[in-house]
Amino acid sequence: MTDKEEVKLFTREELKTRNTREDAVMVIHNGVYNVTNFLDEHPGGEEVLLEQAGKDATEPFEDVSHSSDARSLMKKYKIGELVEADRTPTKGAYAPDWNNDQPQEQGNAWSSWLTPLLLGIAATFLYRYLFA
Ligand code: HEM
């Protein structure tokens, strides 16, 4: 599948029954993969794939820590994606949660110029007190 083709959308419900040797489809990171023709070739064996067929295999897939070769190979079997409502928000190492980091950085930025500001105000009063 190339980027230019329109992405086909699936629901988790309709994938549940696609769990046979003749039609093995699974979800990995919200992508939908038809691994029917890959069963024989999978270095990890067809059993593990059939066990996950019809389900979300993201966790077992990541537990094995597949190589980058495996990750680029899987593109070949991608047939679409989950509909928006059925997606799992991606989090953790594979999609850093930038939103979570930003307020913390802003907090640091705020406190990092609050101290000089207070020192400045204190110096102003000290100056006035000494020389007024
Ligand atoms: C489209 C999906 C998948 C692709 C393209 C794929 C591809 C591969 C490849 C290329 C390897 C060789 C080692 C490596 O390069 O990392 C491998 C190993 C393995 N895979 Fe997958 N895999 C897929 C899904 C799964 C799933 C869902 C499981 C579920 C448990 C799984 C379990 C394993 C295991 C256990 C090995 C290790 C085999 C060994 O080291 O003896 N794979 N896979």
Side-chain angles (χ1 to χ4, degrees):
M1 188 166 107
T2 67
D3 290 347
K4 290 193 178 83
E5 274 173 59
E6 210 167 283
V7 180
K8 187 160 167 31
L9 297 177
F10 298 84
T11 62
R12 289 187 191 271
E13 192 60 40
E14 69 177 297
L15 296 178
K16 274 185 190 166
T17 51
R18 304 187 64 176
N19 57 357
T20 64
R21 199 179 295 267
E22 287 71 41
D23 185 29
V25 176
M26 60 180 61
V27 175
I28 300 172
H29 290 299
N30 297 320
V32 179
Y33 298 85
N34 185 339
V35 294
T36 314
N37 293 328
F38 183 57
L39 293 174
D40 286 344
E41 293 162 41
H42 184 221
E46 65 168 27
E47 281 309 311
V48 286
L49 291 186
L50 284 171
E51 221 168 85
Q52 299 305 323
K55 300 189 210 161
D56 191 320
T58 307
E59 257 187 60
F61 179 82
E62 291 303 343
D63 282 350
V64 176
S65 40
H66 279 91
S67 66
S68 52
D69 274 358
R71 283 161 205 275
S72 56
L73 182 67
M74 68 193 267
K75 286 182 200 148
K76 209 171 123 187
Y77 300 97
K78 191 166 183 182
I79 54 168
E81 287 175 9
L82 284 179
V83 293
E84 196 66 44
D86 280 1
R87 285 167 172 265
T88 314
T90 35
K91 54 181 177 232
Y94 303 97
D97 195 347
W98 300 111
N99 288 336
N100 227 358
D101 288 349
Q102 267 162 5
Q104 207 187 338
E105 259 174 47
Q106 274 161 10
N108 285 344
W110 164 249
S111 56
S112 67
W113 63 264
L114 186 67
T115 310
L117 179 75
L118 289 176
L119 280 175
I121 293 169
T124 307
F125 279 103
L126 189 66
Y127 180 84
R128 283 209 195 163
Y129 175 76
L130 289 175
F131 301 105

